[in-house]
Amino acid sequence: MHELILHHYPASPFAEKARLMLGFKQLSWRSVIIPRVMPKPDLLALTGGYRKTPVLQVGADIYCDTALIARRLEAEKRVPSLFPEGSEFTVAAFAQWADAEVFRRAVALVFQPESLAARMAGLPPQAVESLVADRSKLFSGGTHGMLPVEVARHDWPVLMARLELQLSREEGDFLFGEPSVADFALAHCLWFLRSSPVTAPLVDGHPLVAAWLQRVLGFGHGAHSELSAAEAIEIARAATPAPLPEEDFAEPNGFQLGQRVSIAATDYGVDPVEGELLFAGREELILRREDERAGLVHVHFPRLGFSIRAV
């Protein structure tokens, strides 16, 4: 049984989502800290080009995107569940919406000049410039470009009012009663806003929201220990990928198993990953690729939000 290895950096909001899900499930994991901006040669040795944060590694299997990471953690430990029985569609659909629409607005608010200056106070100017330039590239070329801050400011009161109302009427302590992936998908966006004193009041000014967020953050990050990137790559090289899932499913666009393809996110961070298509299921796509450092790896992507193209 291989250890769970999370490739992340502390300030990443989506990494916080993954860390909280690991804490919720009380899982032990290894922590590999990656650069905040490109280049990321050690990470790309495992992913083949996917650069977004975080990435979950289990031996020679590499999981991209927190939507799929959530399902891999569910397979690792069923209880407590991120997808409570009877609410699977509701919580997954809400999480997808929060990861896209709430996150876009949170990014616009945090990256407005006043907020960014406060958040990056103490860093050299060139470091701030490097981050801004990197994020501009990250959000170009996909369907979700950087949202104007005026739009985010305009929309934010609506989101908070709806959330306050939902929390006031919910019988449990979480968005849909019991905790689920929906809570973690929304919480990381608000955690990100709290990272700047300029945007923190947008969360803390709503008492029910702030109290709910504290409950979600209270799950913590689980038990973890540090691991170097070189050690993680060596673990991948020494491991054999897990057996492929068994699923009766016809690929709707006619891609064939064994075909050389590229897979890329469609929203942002659209860098493609090329390899042999090994599996195409309802939720998951798997590529086989070889790297001179990491050896043979299987790179996993969610179907939703990613595209396949013939190479």
Side-chain angles (χ1 to χ4, degrees), residues 16 35-36 53 60 77 80 93 100 139 148 150 163 197 199 221 266 303:
E16 180 65 8
R36 187 184 298 214
T53 307
K77 186 180 180 182
F139 281 91
E150 295 80 10
L163 182 54
T199 53
H221 295 164
T266 57
R303 174 178 287 275

Side-chain angles (χ1 to χ4, degrees), residues 132-146:
V132 172
D134 181 83
R135 294 307 185 263
S136 295
K137 291 178 182 177
L138 179 66
F139 281 91
S140 66
T143 58
H144 285 182
M146 285 288 284

Side-chain angles (χ1 to χ4, degrees), residues 74-93:
E74 190 79 351
E76 185 76 13
K77 186 180 180 182
R78 295 287 181 184
V79 179
S81 178
L82 289 164
F83 304 91
E85 186 175 349
S87 299
E88 294 93 339
F89 178 83
T90 301
V91 301

Side-chain angles (χ1 to χ4, degrees), residues 32-288:
V32 176
I33 301 299
I34 64 175
R36 187 184 298 214
V37 300
M38 292 292 277
K40 304 180 181 184
D42 295 325
L43 181 69
L44 268 54
L46 296 168
T47 68
Y50 180 86
R51 58 150 293 182
K52 293 200 277 186
T53 307
V55 166
L56 179 71
Q57 175 187 352
V58 187
D61 287 271
I62 313 301
Y63 296 84
C64 302
D65 196 280
T66 56
L68 186 60
I69 289 172
R71 295 185 181 276
R72 178 61 183 83
L73 297 182
E74 190 79 351
E76 185 76 13
K77 186 180 180 182
R78 295 287 181 184
V79 179
S81 178
L82 289 164
F83 304 91
E85 186 175 349
S87 299
E88 294 93 339
F89 178 83
T90 301
V91 301
F94 182 94
Q96 178 196 359
W97 171 80
D99 282 342
E101 298 306 324
V102 182
F103 178 67
R104 289 181 74 200
R105 285 152 180 81
V107 168
L109 291 164
V110 170
F111 272 75
Q112 62 184 304
E114 302 88 346
S115 171
L116 194 63
R119 190 168 183 260
M120 299 295 176
L123 289 180
Q126 55 267 38
V128 178
E129 291 171 7
S130 175
L131 176 64
V132 172
D134 181 83
R135 294 307 185 263
S136 295
K137 291 178 182 177
L138 179 66
F139 281 91
S140 66
T143 58
H144 285 182
M146 285 288 284
L147 198 69
V149 68
E150 295 80 10
V151 173
R153 286 199 201 105
H154 177 83
D155 293 349
W156 197 253
V158 179
L159 301 178
M160 290 297 97
R162 291 178 179 178
L163 182 54
E164 283 272 301
L165 181 61
Q166 172 78 13
L167 292 169
S168 72
R169 294 182 173 175
E170 189 56 66
E171 293 183 2
D173 287 334
F174 298 92
L175 288 176
F176 299 102
E178 56 186 311
S180 73
V181 68
D183 294 280
F184 301 109
L186 184 59
H188 79 88
C189 303
L190 306 191
W191 173 87
F192 191 39
L193 285 164
R194 272 189 164 176
S195 68
S196 165
V198 174
T199 53
L202 296 173
V203 178
D204 294 335
H206 303 274
L208 293 180
V209 173
W212 161 82
L213 181 59
Q214 284 305 110
R215 289 194 291 272
V216 178
L217 298 180
F219 286 113
H221 295 164
H224 60 281
S225 58
E226 298 300 317
L227 186 74
S228 72
E231 289 172 312
I233 290 171
E234 187 52 41
I235 287 171
R237 188 174 191 85
T240 299
L244 297 174
E246 295 182 7
E247 184 179 333
D248 184 15
F249 178 74
E251 210 322 289
N253 287 313
F255 291 100
Q256 300 297 313
L257 300 185
Q259 184 177 354
R260 186 83 181 171
V261 300
S262 71
I263 296 178
T266 57
D267 52 3
Y268 61 94
V270 296
D271 310 83
V273 179
E274 292 187 11
E276 176 191 345
L277 184 63
L278 290 182
F279 177 80
R282 292 177 181 86
E283 291 279 356
E284 185 178 10
L285 306 168
I286 305 176
L287 283 187
R288 177 191 186 276

